[in-house]
Amino acid sequence: MARISGRQTRICRREEPADPPPAAQEPTSGRTRAWLVATLTRLASTFEGKISDDTPLADGGLCLDSLALTDLIGDIQTELGVIIEEEDISA
């Protein structure tokens, strides 16, 4: 407390905002992308094209069957530490 003109005045210190937390690593970072392409290449061993962001996982693309898709989901959950809920999966 400080005294100004005979009154007690509370001096408030304005705190600077804390630094924002470091940004989370984006899912498409270089290491993650390389891991994903390597995993897809392993699972789709008969695919001869280049795997890109818009390459379909099943029909018309990598032709992954249901077992390979289940393996992919498990690999993603393990490697990236995420949980993929059943309702988030579409055919």
Side-chain angles (χ1 to χ4, degrees):
M1 298 245 191
R3 204 171 274 282
I4 300 176
S5 305
R7 295 183 314 176
Q8 286 187 347
T9 306
R10 182 175 293 231
I11 298 175
C12 296
R13 180 184 290 166
R14 188 176 131 204
E15 293 187 29
E16 296 298 317
D19 291 333
Q25 184 179 18
E26 294 185 26
T28 56
S29 71
R31 186 188 72 78
T32 303
R33 178 179 287 286
W35 171 83
L36 184 56
V37 169
T39 300
L40 291 172
T41 301
R42 176 179 53 80
L43 292 171
S45 58
T46 60
F47 183 73
E48 295 180 2
K50 181 180 177 188
I51 297 174
S52 67
D53 291 347
D54 57 353
T55 303
L57 297 176
D59 298 334
L62 300 179
C63 297
L64 298 179
D65 61 16
S66 59
L67 181 59
L69 290 170
T70 301
D71 286 346
L72 175 61
I73 292 167
D75 290 348
I76 289 171
Q77 292 182 131
T78 301
E79 178 68 21
L80 302 180
V82 297
I83 296 173
I84 302 172
E85 301 292 338
E86 189 173 337
E87 59 266 9
D88 294 333
I89 301 168
S90 63

